[in-house]
Amino acid sequence: MTAPGVDLVAAPSDATDLVLLAHGGLERSLAAPRAWRPPILRMWPLALAARSAAPDAAIGLMRYRYRGWNAPSAHPAEDLRTVLDRLTTRFNRVLLIGHSMGGRAIIAAGNHPLVSGVLALAPWLPDGEPLVALRGPVVLAHGDLDRITDPRQTAQYAARLRIAGHPVGLLTVTGEKHAMLHRSPDWSELAHRFVDHALTATPCDWLSITPSRVDPLPHWNPTSSLTTGIRDITIARLRLHVVSRL
């Protein structure tokens, strides 16, 4: 077992902000995550989008101890909190972007004092997931064709946040499945806008420009879009590389 950490793909020497991306995984697994597994690769285009939005910020990918959630403590949220505690002397603000299991992790750890925004993409939010007082702007987004994690549970969690008085943006992405490959440019654009506004605007500014539904263009072709999603991963891996580890 190795300690959790962060692979930095952008690390300006004077960066005071960090965009930290948390990838998906499995419900249970004590196997070690590998850098070339699809859930990790899917985060690289989002890292590229975050770098474009915030060139002065550090951009990092979470390294979990295990591939699965493994309650009660050997899970990514625990790893994320451990990492955030270590980063309090290095960064002033951390934005969290997570997909699937990573979406669950960033929500569970989203009340950490360093956190200044949470973007959960197709998050895994099972019934009874504890409600967390999330910090900064909060956006949840889910594809309406997702059969791995349930968009209805995401909507229910958003409703619970609102009832508790926490502003949250909720987006439904038409025609998208769990891997977020069919509309890859739209997910990257969402990440870009989130990072830009979370670092420069108030939560209300962000929420006011967030639609409730993201629909494809009339000429949208799911087959060609899937190819585009795979291409975006390849481009991001060529343009970015791990420059240091925390």
Side-chain angles (χ1 to χ4, degrees):
M1 179 184 69
T2 59
V6 178
D7 289 337
L8 291 177
V9 296
S13 59
D14 57 349
T16 59
D17 297 322
L18 169 66
V19 181
L20 184 55
L21 298 102
H23 65 80
L26 300 172
E27 184 174 355
R28 294 181 186 86
S29 175
L30 294 175
R34 301 300 180 190
W36 290 95
R37 289 187 60 81
I40 302 176
L41 291 174
R42 183 60 191 88
M43 304 308 291
W44 282 80
L46 302 177
L48 187 61
R51 184 188 180 194
S52 174
D56 296 328
I59 312 296
L61 302 170
M62 265 297 300
R63 292 198 320 272
Y64 310 136
R65 290 171 295 166
Y66 306 110
R67 197 178 298 172
W69 187 263
N70 309 315
S73 61
H75 54 70
E78 189 73 16
D79 292 349
L80 182 53
R81 283 193 170 277
T82 298
V83 166
L84 290 171
D85 286 342
R86 290 208 315 256
L87 297 178
T88 53
T89 59
R90 177 159 181 172
F91 297 105
N92 296 332
R93 296 185 294 180
V94 176
L95 301 184
L96 299 178
I97 300 176
H99 173 232
S100 191
M101 182 182 73
R104 185 182 185 183
I106 67 169
I107 287 176
N111 59 351
H112 190 280
L114 263 189
V115 174
S116 294
V118 172
L119 173 60
L121 309 175
W124 171 32
L125 296 171
D127 291 335
E129 187 70 5
L131 198 64
V132 177
L134 301 173
R135 296 170 56 87
V138 178
V139 178
L140 311 182
H142 219 126
D144 63 353
L145 299 183
D146 195 329
R147 299 296 179 264
I148 305 298
T149 58
D150 192 339
R152 294 171 300 180
Q153 291 177 320
T154 296
Q156 290 165 3
Y157 195 87
R160 292 170 59 201
L161 283 173
R162 288 169 177 160
I163 291 171
H166 303 299
V168 56
L170 176 65
L171 286 79
T172 297
V173 183
T174 304
E176 185 58 279
K177 299 181 180 181
H178 187 67
M180 307 189 306
L181 291 173
H182 288 82
R183 299 186 58 186
S184 177
D186 291 326
W187 294 105
S188 292
E189 178 66 17
L190 172 59
H192 184 285
R193 292 188 184 188
F194 174 80
V195 171
D196 180 40
H197 284 272
L199 292 179
T200 62
T202 66
C204 289
D205 288 335
W206 166 254
L207 294 173
S208 67
I209 65 166
T210 304
S212 61
R213 191 172 191 89
V214 182
D215 293 309
L217 297 172
H219 61 272
W220 179 62
N221 184 321
T223 302
S224 63
S225 296
L226 181 59
T227 303
T228 300
I230 297 172
R231 182 206 64 188
D232 287 349
I233 292 174
T234 303
I235 291 173
R237 286 297 283 116
L238 291 173
R239 292 185 179 178
L240 297 176
H241 62 278
V242 176
V243 295
S244 64
R245 291 188 165 186
L246 300 176

